[in-house]
Amino acid sequence: MLNLERMRVLHAVFTSGSVRGAAEALHVTTSAVSQQIARLEREVGQLLVERHGRGIRLTDAGVALADHADRLLAQVERIEADLADRRGAVVGNLTVAAFATAARALLPDVLRSLRAEHQRLVVRLTEMEPTDAVPLLCRGDVDVAVVQDWAESPVELPDGLSRLHLLDDLLDVALPVEHPLARRERLLLDHLADEEWVTWSSGQICSDWIEQVLRKHGVAPRLMHTASEHSTQLALVAAGIGIAISPRLGRGPVPDGVRIVPTRPMLRRRVFASWRSTAERRPAIRAVIAALARCGTTAAGDRAEPKTRRREHTGDRTG
């Protein structure tokens, strides 16, 4: 009979692409991973991995078995969720991943309310970009992910994930107070064609989005300075060396020397929570999603226009 934990190890090697990646995902040593794969090979009587350059790759038999493992592990998660649902207790350990401003603006209240309401539930937060969080969510290394997207650049979630819209976050332009446009009530983006920009580091989802939006409005942005933290960006704006886009969610005190001006049309991003559909019957998952929904409604306030919340299913890998 096939050993479930060894199937889990093979699946981790397949999804991570290496023994080291599997070891990191499973929090074990590379030696332990290699030993489990060797035992699984003896169980099935076939080679499952082979040398490839300096690393390894799965054989055809290994890929086939990893595919079976994917469906099997999803079914096991459904069974566990069903049993947890029948028990009805909000217990266990969960990991929530959230991008930086959501981690700052939403998660403190979420974690505080969960700790007060469910003493037997342990929730760990890890700050993470959506491009990193979604693959970990699919693999089961993260239980709930708070991610963002834009109408101009929607995130396509993989099959097997569900999501709940939490809020729409509006974004404004941050200008030095002495800037000629700083006293405008609203700004058209094409007013900003000749400006020097402070933006996010190259490759971050926000950086790609703002460049795309500006070019759509006929602005070829001069991206002069990059910083991942909004507070750093605003400090650079206050110094008078550029302008920036400033989200309302998680925005702290605006420094002296900075003027915040809305745009027309208004810039907005969508914030939603996502989780594996196979785990949605777990009371712990439902408790986290409910807490995120409550805090999302509170955080929306004057930051975003109200919007009907709906849950979306993107399918199920196991049919």
Side-chain angles (χ1 to χ4, degrees), residues 4 24 30 38 45 67 94 99 112 146 168 180 183 190 192 208 231 239 241 251 258 260 270 272-273 299:
L4 180 62
E24 291 175 354
T30 55
D67 186 54
L94 293 180
F99 63 95
R112 181 172 57 243
V146 180
D168 280 357
R183 293 301 165 187
D190 57 14
L192 309 173
D208 296 340
S231 56
I241 60 173
R251 183 189 294 166
V258 175
I260 301 294
R270 302 176 297 201
F272 57 91

Side-chain angles (χ1 to χ4, degrees), residues 20 26 66 150 186 208 225 229 235 241 247 252 295 306 313:
R20 182 180 296 277
L26 298 172
W150 296 266
R186 288 190 179 275
D208 296 340
H225 311 283
E229 290 291 332
I241 60 173
C295 290
H313 290 268

Side-chain angles (χ1 to χ4, degrees), residues 155-310:
V155 168
E156 295 294 333
L157 290 179
D159 290 347
L161 299 184
S162 297
R163 69 180 181 181
L164 176 71
H165 178 268
L166 300 176
L167 60 95
D168 280 357
D169 182 31
L170 300 181
L171 300 94
D172 306 307
V173 178
L175 304 124
V177 292
E178 301 301 327
H179 193 284
L181 299 175
R183 293 301 165 187
R184 296 279 184 101
E185 291 299 317
R186 288 190 179 275
L187 286 172
L188 298 176
L189 289 178
D190 57 14
H191 290 158
L192 309 173
D194 298 323
E195 301 296 331
E196 293 185 354
W197 285 83
V198 180
T199 186
W200 294 268
S201 301
S202 178
Q204 286 188 279
I205 187 171
C206 293
S207 175
D208 296 340
W209 167 76
I210 189 57
E211 186 169 356
Q212 176 185 344
V213 168
L214 291 172
R215 290 187 183 281
K216 180 180 176 181
H217 286 267
V219 179
R222 298 162 62 195
L223 307 180
M224 297 297 292
H225 311 283
T226 64
S228 296
E229 290 291 332
H230 296 302
S231 56
T232 305
Q233 294 180 12
L234 292 180
L236 293 170
V237 174
I241 60 173
I243 69 173
I245 291 294
S246 178
R248 296 185 187 182
L249 183 67
R251 183 189 294 166
V254 177
D256 293 338
V258 175
R259 162 91 170 154
I260 301 294
V261 183
T263 65
R264 187 170 60 237
M266 299 182 79
L267 298 176
R268 70 183 67 235
R269 60 179 174 177
R270 302 176 297 201
V271 180
F272 57 91
S274 183
W275 65 95
R276 291 183 301 283
S277 303
T278 52
E280 64 187 7
R281 290 181 63 184
R282 288 178 62 188
I285 294 288
R286 294 204 299 265
V288 171
I289 297 302
L292 282 167
R294 290 194 302 270
C295 290
T297 299
T298 301
D302 60 0
R303 295 182 178 91
E305 299 170 354
K307 183 175 181 180
T308 301
R309 185 179 286 118
R310 69 181 187 275

Side-chain angles (χ1 to χ4, degrees), residues 94-107:
L94 293 180
T95 298
V96 176
F99 63 95
T101 47
R104 180 167 62 250
L106 299 179
L107 269 298

